Amino acid sequence: MSLQKPTTSQQSSVLIDVEGMKCSSCVHIVEQILLEQANIKQANVNLVTKTALIELQGPDQDLTQILHSLNERGFPAQEKQRALSNKEISSNKEWWRQWRQLIAALVLLLLSVLGHLAEGGQLNLPIIGELPFHASLATIALFGPGLKILKSGAKAAIALTPTMDTLVGLGVSSAYLASIVALIWPSVGWPCFFNEPVMLLGFVLLGRFLEERARFRTGKALKQLAQLQPDTAKLLLDNRKTREVRVGALIPGEKIQLFAGDRIPVDGVVIKGHSAVDISSLTGEPLPLEASPGTTVCSGSLNLEENLIIEVKRVGAETALARIIDLVEEAQARKAPIQGLADRVAGGFCYGVVSLAVATFLFWWQIGTKLWPEVIDASGQGLMHSHAHGLHAPLGSGAETPLGLALQLAIAVLVIACPCALGLATPTVITVASGEAAKRGWLFRGGDVIEMAASLSRIVFDKTGTLTIGRPLVLGTLGTTDRARMLQIAASLEQSSRHPLAHAVLQETKRLKLPLLTATSTKTFPGLGLAGEIENVDGIIRVGKPEWLQAEGLLLTEEVQQSFKEAALTGGSVIGVSQNKSLLGLIMIDDQIRPDADIALTRLRNLGMNLSILSGDRREAVLRIGAQLGFSSEQLGSQLLPEEKLAALKELGEHEKVAMVGDGINDAPALAASDLGIAVGTGTQIAQESADLVLLGDRLEGLAESMLLARRAMNKIRQNLFWAFGYNLIALPIAAGVMLPQFGLLLSPPIAALLMAVSSLTVVLNALSLRTG
């Protein structure tokens, strides 16, 4: 696995933390502020992770003005510190702030309920049932836990960019001010409902606490990845002793010691020891990596068996684990196109709600109660009488005057509106889906990638390194009476060669644990083979193409020639081994199909995907692999140059959404040009950088699973958007009193606040259900 962090000169995107966002309107405002900056090309804001991914005009751009603009508008911002420590990701300060919010909400609700019970005579609590107590409690609630909401809402309103806090602030302050007026001037005939701002704030704060906790869970997968990074390492000193140091203090070239059971804290190379290393947390690969001197290991992996000494190569933000976390964070910040409708609605949502609240107030004050006089509570005279004696009327139990009813309904409209659900509908799902995918070794580069993956109808594969393991192996031998001896002699002559076929022979002798003999002289014949002498072996040894051996005087029997022709038809390579003019045997070498390729392709076909192969390899090899994996000849393309692959992809893309799966440098143009580029994690760095989805490790069957996850994620997004739009379309008219004349249905502001909180919580919990699917 090789995931390098881009250099500064390559980077033009920056992730920043943005506080103060409560709803989709806040997201819209933050995006507008960012896009007003001259050096920003694009901005993607995520309400769930409270981050903004900005695309700058070029590298090395100054962020001071950008951060200042956000801070000025009430959204404190700073460049994201991409730390791996779980302690830094989940700060104690934020944790205690949320618990204080919960305690304040519960206390407010408790005192409000006790006040209602004392009013109704169910409790003998004279002080709590008195009007001064309710007025004092409402004042404390507004200028205590509610002050932050009032300030935030007022600041947004002054800037003509209303948010959720503006709506809640208008609701509670309207109820409070109306009650103050009624308390000071009883002659106006308004009821006092000091309890209602208290209950309303209690429900809002409780809802936000539950929502925050649910949001925290949506990012759990990313936090689990961060927990893979140890905070300390055992530095190996010159005197062979070890000293425990902070991981951040290590520098490349130093050596660290790992005991069995230790997490690897850096990217490095094993220089001493043999052990099995669990890499499943990073790549999803179930089988451990066999680590020995020369093996590259990545931070976050788990050493299972024996002690290892590792030379440090990359530390901290430069490690593969850090790069994975960076990619996931950026993916969570990038929006899915389906979010566009919600964003367009969010832009004017709060304006629309305030306008509806004003219209509701005016209608019921001046018109509604005249058309339907029966909506004024029949017990109004009793309430007026009670009010005159100093008791206050609970808002929602009935209205005695047109003004009281109009005020009640207008506040309910302000409070029941839920731009939060619209803002959370998509990013919660993207956050959960990308985090869960990262845990399994699949790196989606954004919400747009997840949406595209869900809409694919065709997947095109490169052959070498994608459907096959990507390196030649010895598949068998022909015409030999002593297979082991023949392989030993061939490998001994080729041990200094860098040719891939020579490497395949050497790997086979290593697997068979055959010792190599000493070659006393070797000569390379380019494109043909090698010739030379080996100690204790008589005569000239030649290893190379059978045609070349024949030209050198080797005689092949008709049986061997026929076997050679049949082997050549399979598309693999055949090399001969001769001693003087005698044939020792033929070695068949070819790339092998990945063990899970057939399973992966079957699963993709079961998902309804059309599959094709476009390869630069020989036609015979492509036909053989295609036949073994169930492809028809029409689904195969062979001996294609990179530009020919591009042309074939464009032709397919005219009729359907197409993904390209590759791993090599020659695949990079096709990966970039396809609707969705997919790179296998064992491939080259340029292929991974050109891809939209990277599958880490060697498990090709993860491709089908990632496509299924993308489809499930899009279903969740559609469900969330349906709920968010449906809730507001139904709840707002009811709150405005549409069902009051005929059915007598009246929503009190506290109930409206509770429904608003439940609406936001519903979309978050629906997104979290992705983790259990």
Side-chain angles (χ1 to χ4, degrees), residues 463-473 590-595 663 682 698:
K463 180 184 78 71
T464 305
T466 303
L467 294 175
T468 64
I469 61 176
R471 60 182 183 274
L473 294 174
D590 198 6
D591 200 357
Q592 284 190 320
I593 295 174
R594 286 179 180 267
D663 78 320
T682 51
D698 280 324

Side-chain angles (χ1 to χ4, degrees), residues 10-18 27 30-46 51-70 77-80 82 329-335:
Q10 295 172 320
Q11 273 190 305
S12 61
S13 64
V14 178
L15 199 65
I16 59 176
D17 288 316
V18 184
V27 171
V30 170
E31 287 185 346
Q32 291 302 311
I33 295 170
L34 291 172
L35 292 174
E36 287 170 3
Q37 309 302 311
N39 57 342
I40 293 182
K41 292 191 295 185
Q42 187 179 358
N44 287 284
V45 180
N46 189 310
T51 57
L53 179 66
I54 54 177
E55 301 288 339
L56 300 170
Q57 296 288 356
D60 304 320
Q61 296 281 327
D62 186 15
L63 299 179
T64 305
Q65 181 57 41
I66 297 171
L67 300 178
H68 177 70
S69 299
L70 288 170
Q78 62 178 358
E79 186 173 358
K80 189 169 186 66
R82 303 191 177 194
E329 286 180 332
E330 290 183 8
Q332 291 174 348
R334 294 186 189 278
K335 291 184 180 179

Side-chain angles (χ1 to χ4, degrees), residues 28 53 93 121 173 184 230 254 331 343 376 401 422 448 460 485 534 545 562 571 573 583 668 712 732:
H28 180 75
L53 179 66
K93 183 178 178 181
S173 58
I184 297 174
E254 290 184 324
D343 287 345
I376 298 297
T401 65
L422 284 173
D448 51 341
V460 177
R485 178 66 173 170
I534 296 175
K545 290 183 176 180
Q562 183 61 31
S573 298
L583 179 70
R712 291 179 56 234
L732 282 170

Side-chain angles (χ1 to χ4, degrees), residues 204-218:
V204 168
L205 293 175
L206 177 61
R208 286 189 178 178
F209 173 81
L210 295 175
E211 186 183 309
E212 283 294 322
R213 300 316 301 156
R215 284 194 207 180
F216 180 82
R217 288 176 60 197
T218 64

Side-chain angles (χ1 to χ4, degrees), residues 217-218 220-222 224 328 332 430-442 709 770-772:
R217 288 176 60 197
T218 64
K220 188 176 180 181
L222 191 61
Q224 288 174 340
V328 175
Q332 291 174 348
I430 297 302
T431 300
V432 174
S434 55
E436 288 300 303
K439 280 172 59 179
R440 303 176 197 181
W442 320 323
L709 177 65
L770 264 178
R771 292 165 51 186
T772 58

Side-chain angles (χ1 to χ4, degrees), residues 695-707:
L695 302 177
L696 301 177
D698 280 324
R699 293 178 62 248
L700 190 62
E701 59 187 299
L703 178 57
E705 295 169 7
S706 65
M707 295 298 105

Side-chain angles (χ1 to χ4, degrees), residues 484-503:
R485 178 66 173 170
M486 183 264 292
L487 287 170
Q488 183 185 40
I489 290 174
S492 299
L493 188 67
E494 293 190 303
Q495 58 187 298
S496 60
S497 174
R498 294 182 178 272
H499 196 282
L501 298 184
H503 181 73

